Amino acid sequence: MSEPEISSTSDFIRDIIREDQKSGKYDGRVHTRFPPEPNGYLHIGHAKSICLNFSVADEFQGFCNLRFDDTNPIKEEREYVEAIKEDVHWLGFGWDDRLYYASDYYEQFYAYAVQLIQHGKAYVCDLTPDEMRAYRGTLTEPGTDSPWRNRPIEENLELFEKMRAGHFEEGSKTLRAKIDMSSGNLNMRDPVIYRILEAEHHRTGNTWCIYPMYDFAHCISDSIERITHSLCTLEFEDHRPLYDWFLDVLGLYHPQQIEFARLNLSNTVMSKRKLLRLVEEKQVSGWDDPRMPTISGLRRRGYTPESIRAFSERIGVARRESLVDIALLEFCVREDLNKRAPRVMGVLRPLKMVITNYPEDTVEDLKAINNPEDATMGTRKVPFSRVIYVERDDFREDPPKKWFRLAPGREVRLRYAYFITCVDVKKDKETGEVSEIHCTYDPATRGGDSPDGRRVKGTIHWVSASHALDAELRLYDHLFTKEDPEQGDEGSNLTAQLNPYSLERVSSCRVEPSLAGAEPFSRFQFERIGYFSVDPDSTDTKLIFNRTVTLKDSWAKIEKKQQQKSKK
Ligand code: ATP
Ligand code: MG
């Protein structure tokens, strides 16, 4: 795994733009675009591209368009369009009136295709898809010219018009660019630019039965919108000659395509096709399942837009492919939530505790600090009473060495409350399980401070039994156990690679009463347990929290290891 570059303001893309501004290319203008295909929900990889395109535009006083690259009616849907808009907005970027659809340019694409035919640079081809593959050649062998390659221009024009008018069956004809069947670049071997598809488009309905291919539509869309720097991922590097060819042959305004390495993240997959499969096979609850690497999944999980932007900045852009450890993403949200998430107390697996010397009917409101990182967040009152719940894990009847939490005869601090000492243990007669523990408290330690300098090593959290609210806490782990689930032989069977323990639902948790009516998506730190956010399915009668991230920083360890490695 390689170390991410830690620089946002200086990278090879920004360097190119600075040079272009200096030389007066594009009159110093900077105009980028984010061009999603609405065939699925956006993921964290797209977030990298969004942050890059919108931030670059911002930094250089330029503009960034949101353009839907909707040229494949079979896989695209309106639902995705709306979800994508919501995600880009949520990340904190806006496009004002610069919202475009490639489908708005269909007439223009068609007219340009006609121009190519007129220039003798495109022809209608009758090869079937299988034949076309056979004629295409391989990386080591040149392709073979299609028998239809030298059709007269007039015939091509007539056939293309008939293709549009629906005279031919799907798959029976294509329009192809006439470039070079022996080119070392397979993309240049007379690529298809139009195919027949009897499919309804989510915006143009049944107006069209021929649809342009990505390579043809994309460069022209960029040109129409007068994009200056067309930033895309490395897999398009081999398509750049074609991008340039179309614009040059048509004599159109010519943006510069620049490729950067896509984001690959450990323990997950990042292709919309594969994510769609997980959704369709119900391996996850939907595109916004909190385990998904989608922006909507991360949002539901409790990620902040700021943390995702910080992550994008930290990983930077480079031309080298790398695999970023998901621990870095978790680090970024932990760092952000540490600053802003109010602290609360909640008990994951409750164990009843009776404080035997505490008065029966008394309830005290104890002062608790909302965020030790931010004094302006103030304090709140937490009710304390004779019967409370503590974490089952915080008690051991037979403690190991260096156990600083609760055990028979041991004294610990109840956070913001009192020092207590365990004096008795009650067990279930049938199962032998500890059912409740009895403690005494020291009234002199109110607030959790000892007046006589007496020290306790452990501090545990608690909730008052009669005041606590029921809640379900959902604990998440990585969706895939393996760092790179797509690698190796098993990679082809993704389902088998799923982490069977990626979701643990802990019902019957007890949380402090201040959480009544907590807003969906609001975020908290449950002290000592982790950062959590309120699930949108949460109700007043059943609170549901999603664990965004644990408190333990595994990134620090990884970073240290990397530093040691790079020193060697
Ligand atoms: P997927 O491979 O997930 O299906 P895609 O590339 O087909 O993604 P598009 O909707 O075409 O998805 O992508 C929109 C933009 O986002 C493109 O410019 C693409 O280069 C960029 N992008 C997609 N995936 C990543 C990634 N992992 N890292 C950075 N940018 C990405
Ligand atoms: Mg794509």
Side-chain angles (χ1 to χ4, degrees), residues 132-339:
M132 207 177 300
R133 256 189 298 278
Y135 276 72
R136 198 165 180 232
T138 63
L139 281 171
T140 49
E141 287 163 51
T144 312
D145 283 0
S146 161
W148 312 102
R149 197 171 197 262
N150 292 315
R151 263 186 167 141
I153 290 175
E154 281 314 313
E155 192 180 322
N156 281 320
L157 286 172
E158 195 189 313
L159 286 172
F160 189 46
E161 201 178 308
K162 282 190 170 160
M163 274 172 68
R164 174 181 182 164
H167 288 245
F168 307 116
E169 275 183 31
E170 209 172 284
S172 66
K173 283 187 171 40
T174 56
L175 182 73
R176 298 175 69 180
K178 194 169 175 177
I179 308 179
D180 179 4
M181 285 308 292
S182 61
S183 170
N185 182 341
L186 289 165
N187 296 308
M188 301 297 275
R189 293 186 187 170
D190 291 11
V192 171
I193 52 185
Y194 265 95
R195 67 231 150 116
I196 301 169
L197 288 177
E198 317 261 344
E200 192 173 298
H201 187 280
H202 62 105
R203 293 188 77 243
T204 57
N206 292 308
T207 310
W208 294 85
C209 62
I210 56 170
Y211 290 92
M213 300 299 285
Y214 171 87
D215 283 320
F216 181 66
H218 197 79
C219 58
I220 296 176
S221 305
D222 279 352
S223 178
I224 292 172
E225 294 173 18
R226 302 196 70 78
I227 299 302
T228 56
H229 302 84
S230 179
L231 312 179
C232 62
T233 34
L234 279 179
E235 68 271 22
F236 291 104
E237 192 170 13
D238 290 344
H239 295 244
R240 177 157 29 96
L242 189 51
Y243 184 104
D244 293 340
W245 188 90
F246 282 127
L247 296 179
D248 289 344
V249 169
L250 289 166
L252 297 177
Y253 164 83
H254 198 147
Q256 165 83 51
Q257 176 178 307
I258 306 170
E259 308 87 18
F260 62 94
R262 63 194 295 121
L263 167 67
N264 301 303
L265 196 60
S266 74
N267 302 93
T268 191
V269 292
M270 207 107 77
S271 120
K272 282 184 279 191
R273 192 172 48 80
K274 289 172 187 154
L275 296 174
L276 175 63
R277 244 188 67 196
L278 296 178
V279 173
E280 283 177 343
E281 289 177 5
K282 302 213 182 323
Q283 305 284 357
V284 292
S285 65
W287 284 99
D288 68 345
D289 185 300
R291 293 166 291 178
M292 291 280 269
T294 50
I295 296 177
S296 50
L298 293 167
R299 176 164 63 233
R300 186 164 184 173
R301 176 87 169 245
Y303 273 75
T304 57
E306 291 82 358
S307 65
I308 295 176
R309 294 207 304 265
F311 171 73
S312 296
E313 240 178 69
R314 278 187 77 111
I315 58 173
V317 285
R319 280 192 50 86
R320 182 171 37 88
E321 284 285 349
S322 67
L323 180 66
V324 174
D325 198 306
I326 198 163
L328 178 60
L329 180 62
E330 291 167 354
F331 168 84
C332 290
V333 74
R334 191 180 290 115
E335 197 177 51
D336 190 33
L337 292 179
N338 181 41
K339 282 183 281 184

Side-chain angles (χ1 to χ4, degrees), residues 374-442:
D374 182 357
T376 64
M377 288 173 72
T379 59
R380 69 187 184 287
K381 300 276 190 232
V382 186
F384 182 79
S385 65
R386 179 182 158 92
V387 182
I388 64 175
Y389 288 114
V390 296
E391 206 68 67
R392 202 163 263 284
D393 273 357
D394 281 338
F395 175 77
R396 287 286 178 86
E397 201 182 1
D398 194 9
K401 270 192 191 150
K402 294 206 176 168
W403 176 263
F404 301 129
R405 291 176 267 168
L406 208 54
R410 299 275 181 96
E411 185 172 49
V412 299
R413 176 189 292 109
L414 291 178
R415 181 87 157 141
Y416 299 123
Y418 293 100
F419 284 16
I420 49 144
T421 303
C422 176
V423 293
D424 199 7
V425 180
K426 303 274 179 221
K427 289 186 183 169
D428 185 295
K429 282 204 183 71
E430 265 155 42
T431 62
E433 204 187 25
V434 175
S435 56
E436 73 183 56
I437 49 180
H438 288 188
C439 295
T440 55
Y441 84 116
D442 176 357

Side-chain angles (χ1 to χ4, degrees), residues 414-529:
L414 291 178
R415 181 87 157 141
Y416 299 123
Y418 293 100
F419 284 16
I420 49 144
T421 303
C422 176
V423 293
D424 199 7
V425 180
K426 303 274 179 221
K427 289 186 183 169
D428 185 295
K429 282 204 183 71
E430 265 155 42
T431 62
E433 204 187 25
V434 175
S435 56
E436 73 183 56
I437 49 180
H438 288 188
C439 295
T440 55
Y441 84 116
D442 176 357
T445 57
R446 191 174 197 269
D449 299 314
S450 93
D452 56 7
R454 186 166 92 243
R455 300 253 281 238
V456 288
K457 285 223 170 107
T459 298
I460 64 174
H461 59 273
W462 53 273
V463 290
S464 166
S466 58
H467 301 89
L469 309 172
D470 285 321
E472 175 177 309
L473 267 55
R474 297 180 181 167
L475 313 181
Y476 299 101
D477 198 352
H478 300 148
L479 192 49
F480 291 90
T481 324
K482 269 180 31 181
E483 208 168 70
D484 189 350
E486 288 165 284
Q487 273 243 319
D489 295 341
E490 310 96 344
S492 52
N493 186 359
L494 267 189
T495 311
Q497 307 291 318
L498 283 165
N499 175 6
Y501 307 108
S502 59
L503 166 60
E504 184 187 358
R505 286 165 185 251
V506 189
S507 44
S508 61
C509 305
R510 312 284 286 164
V511 302
E512 67 169 68
S514 73
L515 288 164
E519 284 291 314
F521 297 102
S522 55
R523 309 171 183 98
F524 301 91
Q525 184 200 95
F526 281 113
E527 295 214 27
R528 302 179 61 231
I529 302 182

Side-chain angles (χ1 to χ4, degrees), residues 76-91:
E76 296 163 5
E77 286 174 29
R78 197 180 298 267
E79 175 199 342
Y80 298 139
V81 170
E82 294 311 316
I84 289 169
K85 284 197 228 166
E86 185 186 352
D87 287 349
V88 177
H89 263 150
W90 179 77
L91 278 175

